[in-house]
Amino acid sequence: MSNNVQQFVKQVSLPMQNQLLAAMSETEWNRLESDLEEVDFSLNQVLCESGKMPAYMYFPTTAIVSLLNMTEDGSSSEVAVVGNDGVVGISLLLSGSNASNQALVQSAGKGYRIRAQAAKKAMYEGAMQRILLRYSQDMITQVTQLAFCNRHHTTDQQLCRRLLLSLDRLSTNELIMTQEMLGGMLGIRRETVTEAALKLQNAGIISYKRGQITVLDRKGLEDRSCECYALVKNEQERLRKIPLAS
């Protein structure tokens, strides 16, 4: 397979790759389809700023977005991760309130977007509102567990947890992440990330070169991660199994 073909295959994006869009009935999908627009997400692209009304709802398929809390001096800390499991712009569900976090593309890829006004209309028709409310519970679990993790677990455990979150949302074991990006996500110094990543590399769990992390041993990551990763993942899977009320 040529490099061009490989690149095309890697970038193929279908709406149903996003789990929330896939949860809609055929009738709901037909109503929403004309308002959806396929988009390319570039690395470090800001989709929404904290304190501002989102212009769109975004449904990633092959991209990953970090929701970040920002300080006045420019420091940041990740509060949640959104990939093909969710949506960016969930604040539109809450009476159209402003976003409380910056939404930053952490892994480039594709997805779909719908204008805020069309999204608000769709939320009051069919099961879209119930789908987003169920996802909101998933997000609350992720945010609260991450706050606990940052307070009680080591940098090594947090790094493993963060790498696993990306792996779950990608179809590859290769992650494009610089140490500076990881430091911003975890709210720690770059040097601390370097030290933790070196431990994983020396243990044969990852290889790291020029901003690209290749996970060689997923089981090793899971064993070194704290319980926060499993708790969030198990809750997400539990919520998916709950039938949407008619």
Side-chain angles (χ1 to χ4, degrees):
M1 185 181 291
S2 69
N3 290 336
N4 288 339
V5 173
Q6 288 177 344
Q7 182 68 15
F8 173 77
V9 171
K10 185 176 181 180
Q11 290 299 317
V12 165
S13 172
L14 298 172
M16 297 313 168
Q17 287 175 254
N18 181 280
Q19 295 170 20
L20 301 188
L21 295 180
M24 294 191 300
S25 68
E26 182 177 356
T27 300
E28 291 156 346
W29 168 249
N30 290 337
R31 186 165 51 225
L32 187 67
E33 184 179 13
S34 61
D35 291 318
L36 281 174
E37 175 188 1
E38 185 176 8
V39 290
D40 290 298
F41 298 108
S42 58
L43 183 65
N44 293 327
Q45 177 183 354
V46 177
L47 303 183
C48 182
E49 290 284 6
S50 175
K52 295 184 178 180
M53 181 83 70
Y56 296 89
M57 264 191 171
Y58 297 92
F59 297 86
T61 54
T62 63
I64 298 178
V65 180
S66 290
L67 302 186
L68 302 168
N69 271 348
M70 309 294 296
T71 63
E72 291 183 357
D73 65 2
S75 299
S76 65
S77 181
E78 188 176 67
V79 297
V81 183
V82 182
N84 59 9
D85 60 321
V87 63
V88 176
I90 196 69
S91 63
L92 291 172
L93 177 63
L94 308 174
S95 301
S97 60
N98 292 341
S100 56
N101 312 108
Q102 182 189 74
L104 183 73
V105 176
Q106 174 257 305
S107 181
K110 290 181 176 290
Y112 292 80
R113 70 182 184 184
I114 179 172
R115 290 188 180 276
Q117 193 60 37
K120 291 177 187 178
K121 180 180 177 182
M123 283 186 286
Y124 295 101
E125 298 177 354
M128 187 64 172
Q129 186 181 63
R130 294 191 295 274
I131 291 171
L132 292 176
L133 284 172
R134 186 171 66 178
Y135 177 67
S136 296
Q137 184 174 346
D138 176 18
M139 286 293 290
I140 290 171
T141 300
Q142 188 178 161
V143 170
T144 55
Q145 197 63 44
L146 191 146
F148 177 87
C149 186
N150 289 344
R151 175 67 178 84
H152 294 282
H153 294 136
T154 68
T155 298
D156 294 4
Q157 291 173 315
Q158 292 179 48
L159 177 59
C160 291
R161 171 189 54 77
R162 186 57 186 81
L163 295 178
L164 286 166
L165 289 177
S166 284
L167 282 182
D168 287 347
R169 292 160 175 80
L170 294 173
S171 59
T172 176
N173 66 336
E174 295 183 356
L175 312 175
I176 306 302
M177 288 183 176
T178 65
Q179 294 172 357
E180 183 175 0
M181 287 171 59
L182 282 166
M185 293 173 198
L186 299 176
I188 58 178
R189 296 168 58 247
R190 176 180 174 179
E191 293 78 8
T192 306
V193 174
T194 301
E195 183 180 346
L198 185 59
K199 291 178 183 178
L200 294 178
Q201 183 161 265
N202 290 340
I205 294 173
I206 67 169
S207 67
Y208 180 83
K209 183 171 68 172
R210 297 174 189 167
Q212 179 173 304
I213 297 174
T214 302
V215 177
L216 307 174
D217 180 4
R218 182 188 172 106
K219 180 65 164 54
L221 272 185
E222 292 176 351
D223 290 343
R224 288 173 177 246
S225 179
C226 54
E227 67 269 25
C228 296
Y229 167 72
L231 286 170
V232 170
K233 186 175 179 64
N234 290 341
E235 175 64 3
Q236 185 179 63
E237 292 177 351
R238 184 190 72 82
L239 290 170
R240 285 181 196 159
K241 295 175 182 177
I242 300 175
L244 292 168
S246 59

